[in-house]
Amino acid sequence: MRILFYDTKKYDRDSFEKVTEKYPEIEIEYTDTDINSKTANLAKGYKAICAFVSSDVGKETIDCLSKNGVELVLLRCAGFNNVDLEEAKKKNITVMRVPGYSPEAVAEHAMALALASSRRIHKSYIKVRENNFSLTGLTGTNLHGKIAGIIGTGKIGATMCRICRGFGMKVIAYDLYKNPELDFVEYLELDKLLNDSDLISLHCPLTEESYHMINKSSIAKMKDGVILVNTSRGALIRTEDLIHGIRDKKFFSVGLDVYEEETNNVFENREDDILETSITARLLSFPNVIVTSHQGFLTNEALESISITTFENAMSYLNGNLIENNVVM
Ligand code: NAI
């Protein structure tokens, strides 16, 4: 099976090439170009394409892939909101994904953001590089003995609960369903969690219900001096309201791996006018805020797991034996 691998980054290629020899039936060609309705034509002659969560696999792209004989879309990610599934179904194109690869990768990054922002590591790093060893402005806060409020206790949230427990925190949570594995966690209503938590970490998906769940009204319910971390999806937070909250000194610190403008790729198109008006750039102007570039998933272990599952997905399609949980309907 020939696969065209769109939007290749060096780390993708390295991790896929490490396992490629175990799958002699599969031949991958890599291109830097990302997929969209115009670049889908490059897939002529390939049975499958490999795309990422940020790729445009909408209706027009699917139509073009279908005209070019593509039968399989392999997503090397869990999310699939960028794929027109109805159109794929109509065109008889199978869509497969990697439902879970390393919850630890994301949860550890969430804790890294909580620690780095609350212990002012980002400020200290820059000061010391400039030979400034003054401690002014670097006072942090302990996590031990505090309350961690985890919103969403699926794979990643549950891992974050365990990490927080390891730090000696009391762990409370809000989810639509209780996770039976978390017997040390107290489930509460959302308002009570907002009110009680010293650290709030978001681990639920972006849905109609969760869109802007952190807004002016929910921020008002939080404790003063709370630490807020978001590694899930940017639009869980209404950024304008977060900026107001930061200005009002509501937050001890904020760590974000995801942000509302992500789909506009503000950081990759580093044009000054975009950055000047960008709401994310405004967030970056606050000294107690850290923003990373949606890198929670990016560890060697997660990349290895993603490449193996993607190859296994391709093999299961070839053998006519689809891995049910990995097929997107
Ligand atoms: P999961 O599906 O295992 O868990 C999600 C949990 O959220 C479930 O327990 C579900 O019941 C709960 N939930 C759904 N709607 C909710 C709501 N309105 N309020 C409270 N809880 C709600 O998902 P997983 O694997 O733990 O991933 C969580 C999120 O992490 C993903 O949706 C994705 O947005 C994000 N993610 C971020 C990555 C990064 O690199 N920063 C990488 C992978 C995922």
Side-chain angles (χ1 to χ4, degrees), residues 101-111 156 160 203 231-232 257 296-297 299:
Y101 31 92
S102 174
E104 292 79 14
V106 185
E108 287 176 15
H109 192 73
M111 185 46 104
I156 297 171
M160 185 63 175
H203 298 288
T231 55
S232 271
D257 188 41
F297 74 99
T299 65

Side-chain angles (χ1 to χ4, degrees), residues 52 78-79 99-103 105-106 109 150-159 174-179 187 190 202-211 213 230-234 236 257-258 262 293-298:
F52 191 54
Y101 31 92
S102 174
V106 185
H109 192 73
I150 309 301
I151 301 183
T153 52
K155 292 181 284 297
I156 297 171
T159 309
Y174 168 73
D175 196 312
L176 307 178
Y177 308 96
K178 286 186 185 176
N179 184 333
Y187 280 87
L190 181 58
L202 308 181
H203 298 288
C204 61
L206 179 63
T207 59
E208 261 178 46
E209 201 181 348
S210 64
Y211 178 76
M213 74 191 304
N230 186 10
T231 55
S232 271
R233 283 295 177 267
L236 292 176
D257 188 41
V258 287
E262 228 168 319
S293 49
H294 203 149
Q295 68 189 60
F297 74 99
L298 196 61

Side-chain angles (χ1 to χ4, degrees), residues 45-59:
Y46 294 85
K47 194 167 190 150
I49 63 112
C50 186
F52 191 54
V53 69
S54 48
S55 308
D56 165 9
V57 199
K59 182 177 181 308

Side-chain angles (χ1 to χ4, degrees), residues 59-70:
K59 182 177 181 308
E60 284 180 51
T61 307
I62 295 275
D63 290 349
C64 190
L65 289 175
S66 167
K67 278 184 201 135
N68 283 300
V70 172

Side-chain angles (χ1 to χ4, degrees), residues 43-310:
K44 192 175 171 70
Y46 294 85
K47 194 167 190 150
I49 63 112
C50 186
F52 191 54
V53 69
S54 48
S55 308
D56 165 9
V57 199
K59 182 177 181 308
E60 284 180 51
T61 307
I62 295 275
D63 290 349
C64 190
L65 289 175
S66 167
K67 278 184 201 135
N68 283 300
V70 172
E71 297 171 20
L72 174 65
V73 170
L74 293 161
L75 296 171
R76 51 181 188 278
C77 53
F80 50 87
N81 50 314
N82 55 331
V83 184
D84 189 328
L85 295 176
E86 259 180 48
E87 193 63 17
K89 204 171 178 185
K90 263 193 229 157
K91 296 283 155 50
N92 219 10
I93 290 181
T94 302
V95 181
M96 298 189 81
R97 67 179 182 131
V98 183
Y101 31 92
S102 174
E104 292 79 14
V106 185
E108 287 176 15
H109 192 73
M111 185 46 104
L113 285 172
L115 286 172
S117 65
S118 70
R119 299 308 301 266
R120 317 302 194 205
I121 303 291
H122 56 305
K123 287 171 77 179
S124 165
Y125 172 78
I126 291 179
K127 282 172 95 164
V128 170
R129 279 172 74 97
E130 289 173 1
N131 217 17
N132 177 354
F133 289 82
S134 154
L135 296 180
T136 305
L138 300 183
T139 308
T141 185
N142 283 10
L143 294 182
H144 184 266
K146 302 276 174 59
I147 300 180
I150 309 301
I151 301 183
T153 52
K155 292 181 284 297
I156 297 171
T159 309
M160 185 63 175
C161 288
R162 293 187 189 102
I163 291 174
C164 290
R165 180 172 63 157
F167 271 75
M169 303 184 82
K170 176 181 173 186
V171 187
I172 60 177
Y174 168 73
D175 196 312
L176 307 178
Y177 308 96
K178 286 186 185 176
N179 184 333
E181 289 174 15
L182 299 175
D183 54 5
F184 60 93
V185 171
E186 185 184 353
Y187 280 87
L188 299 172
E189 289 304 313
L190 181 58
D191 282 359
K192 179 91 176 106
L193 179 143
L194 295 171
N195 191 64
D196 290 1
S197 303
D198 299 292
L199 160 66
I200 297 176
S201 194
L202 308 181
H203 298 288
C204 61
L206 179 63
T207 59
E208 261 178 46
E209 201 181 348
S210 64
Y211 178 76
H212 283 180
M213 74 191 304
I214 303 299
N215 53 36
K216 193 175 173 194
S217 137
S218 47
I219 290 171
K221 288 172 190 148
M222 294 178 190
K223 267 188 193 173
D224 288 344
V226 63
I227 301 168
L228 176 68
V229 170
N230 186 10
T231 55
S232 271
R233 283 295 177 267
L236 292 176
I237 298 179
R238 188 165 189 275
T239 314
E240 281 288 351
D241 294 351
L242 177 63
I243 288 173
H244 281 292
I246 296 168
R247 283 219 185 96
D248 293 346
K249 305 209 177 337
K250 184 71 173 177
F251 299 95
F252 190 80
S253 70
V254 175
L256 307 172
D257 188 41
V258 287
Y259 32 92
E260 283 196 276
E261 288 166 310
E262 228 168 319
T263 45
N264 298 339
N265 251 344
V266 275
F267 295 112
E268 289 203 358
N269 309 319
R270 275 195 172 271
E271 289 170 24
D272 286 348
D273 56 337
I274 297 179
L275 270 179
E276 265 170 32
T277 52
S278 142
I279 201 167
T280 316
R282 276 164 64 199
L283 272 176
L284 283 170
S285 67
F286 296 104
N288 58 343
V289 175
I290 294 187
V291 179
T292 53
S293 49
H294 203 149
Q295 68 189 60
F297 74 99
L298 196 61
T299 65
N300 289 325
E301 292 77 3
L303 289 171
E304 184 184 342
S305 171
I306 289 168
S307 57
I308 291 171
T309 306
T310 306

